[in-house]
């Protein structure tokens, strides 16, 4: 059974930084694209960033220049370095990953979500 476990959320002041982690575990053959979504209260889910296995990245305009997505394929782990945080970044952040499991089946897996609150 494949699981994604997130960590690193919390409360930070405007202008501060946080780093989120998303670790995949279980019976996996390969992890392809990984990424982050967020959902703020009263707003629709937003794709924040994603990264392919080869390292190509894509960012939402709202976070370009402030957030950096990366991954360590040897550790099956993805990171989101968030800097210059703004109150509007407050949301629950969810990681996802497209994974081929040991049976050869492609599926998208999701983390449980981690709260990021930017407030003074």
């Amino acid at each position: 059974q494949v699981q994604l476990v997130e960590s690193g959320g919390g409360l930070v002041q405007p202008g501060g930084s946080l780093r989120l982690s998303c670790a995949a575990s279980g019976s996996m053959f390969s992890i392809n694209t990984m990424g982050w979504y967020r959902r703020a209260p009263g707003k629709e889910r937003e794709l924040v960033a994603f990264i392919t296995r080869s390292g190509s990245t894509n960012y939402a305009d709202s976070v370009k220049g402030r957030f950096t997505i990366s991954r360590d394929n040897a550790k099956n782990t993805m990171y989101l370095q968030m800097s210059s945080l703004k109150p509007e970044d407050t949301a629950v952040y969810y990681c996802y990953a497209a994974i081929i499991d040991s049976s050869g089946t492609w599926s998208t897996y999701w983390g449980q979500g981690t709260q990021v609150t930017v407030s003074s």
Side-chain angles (χ1 to χ4, degrees), residues 1-4 24-31 76 99-107 109:
Q1 183 178 357
V2 176
Q3 286 187 319
L4 298 183
S25 63
S27 183
M28 299 174 290
F29 178 73
S30 178
I31 304 176
N76 293 330
I99 296 174
I100 301 177
D101 63 23
S102 57
S103 69
T105 302
W106 274 107
S107 298
Y109 294 86

Side-chain angles (χ1 to χ4, degrees), residues 4-9 19-23 33-39 45-51 58-60 63 67-71 77-82 92-97 110-114 116:
L4 298 183
V5 178
E6 302 162 2
S7 60
R19 189 176 83 153
L20 306 183
S21 299
C22 174
T33 298
M34 304 180 78
W36 296 91
Y37 276 87
R38 66 185 180 185
R39 184 184 293 276
R45 188 180 66 173
E46 177 186 22
L47 176 61
V48 176
F50 66 84
I51 182 168
N58 189 278
Y59 297 91
V63 306
F67 290 11
T68 302
I69 190 170
S70 61
R71 64 191 285 173
T77 300
M78 171 182 62
Y79 307 96
L80 185 68
Q81 178 67 47
M82 305 184 293
V92 178
Y93 286 69
Y94 299 89
C95 69
Y96 74 92
W110 293 87
Q112 79 283 5
T114 186
V116 171

